[in-house]
Amino acid sequence: MTKQEFLDFCHEEFTKRGFKKRKKTYYLNGEGILVGLYLQKSMAEAYYVEFDFFIGKFKNPKLYPTTYESDYYGRVCVLSKDIDEGDYYMTALIEYELYTPEELKPYFDKAFDEFIMPPLLEGKETVLKIMEYYDDYTLEEKENIIEKLQLDQ
């Protein structure tokens, strides 16, 4: 897939789920939580598809926070086309030229179904469950998010 085809694919995947583009980020507002999606360019012919979560009430799209202000984040992961130690592996670095939209779609669906949409649809209580999946948060970062979730109620 070309770079433009990948960008178009991402745009379609984001907008069909209700995300709206504001500058370079796609946003969707939930009850007490805002999700931002954006494509982070790599040095290679590749992108990271990052999803950022912001806890709080955000009414004015002109004042939406940036990725640098996120409370926690994750990335869409796909099965690599490279083999490491005799096997394929999951990677967040999407080398778009190696994939077709049909190959990427199941990974995007999984990311939306399991990580991105639950806090928007089910509420903030799913935030901690998702953070547990991404185990790279320190205890202090988790405590700060718990506090922020409680303050926002």
Side-chain angles (χ1 to χ4, degrees):
M1 160 167 38
T2 67
K3 178 180 175 180
Q4 189 57 52
E5 289 170 333
F6 178 72
L7 297 175
D8 292 344
F9 168 79
C10 289
H11 176 80
E12 183 178 324
E13 289 296 308
F14 300 165
T15 58
K16 78 179 182 185
R17 291 175 169 92
F19 286 80
K20 295 199 179 358
K21 190 171 184 181
R22 178 125 190 103
K23 298 185 182 178
K24 293 185 177 191
T25 303
Y26 293 79
Y27 291 100
L28 186 58
N29 214 337
E31 188 62 40
I33 196 156
L34 175 70
V35 177
L37 301 167
Y38 80 98
L39 302 173
Q40 180 184 357
K41 181 75 173 98
S42 166
M43 301 278 288
E45 294 300 315
Y47 280 96
Y48 295 98
V49 179
E50 187 164 312
F51 44 96
D52 295 318
F53 291 83
F54 309 92
I55 299 167
K57 294 184 177 21
F58 303 92
K59 300 205 187 299
N60 185 349
K62 291 181 181 179
L63 301 176
Y64 278 174
T66 67
T67 186
Y68 304 107
E69 302 167 277
S70 70
D71 291 301
Y72 74 101
Y73 70 94
R75 288 179 169 164
V76 173
C77 291
V78 301
L79 190 64
S80 72
K81 294 287 186 160
D82 298 325
I83 295 176
D84 185 30
E85 296 182 18
D87 209 353
Y88 296 100
Y89 56 93
M90 295 302 288
T91 180
L93 183 65
I94 302 174
E95 297 177 75
Y96 52 82
E97 291 178 334
L98 303 178
Y99 295 91
T100 65
E102 294 76 24
E103 290 174 310
L104 291 179
K105 186 165 180 8
Y107 299 105
F108 276 67
D109 289 343
K110 179 180 173 81
F112 277 100
D113 293 346
E114 295 182 9
F115 304 112
I116 300 169
M117 298 307 289
L120 291 168
L121 300 175
E122 299 168 20
K124 296 178 291 184
E125 52 276 354
T126 61
V127 169
L128 295 177
K129 180 176 75 172
I130 292 168
M131 282 184 68
E132 289 300 319
Y133 180 83
Y134 291 98
D135 60 354
D136 56 343
Y137 292 95
T138 66
L139 181 58
E140 183 180 354
E141 288 171 321
K142 287 180 183 178
E143 288 172 350
N144 287 340
I145 295 213
I146 290 169
E147 182 179 329
K148 196 166 186 180
L149 285 168
Q150 292 169 343
L151 291 175
D152 189 50
Q153 292 182 11

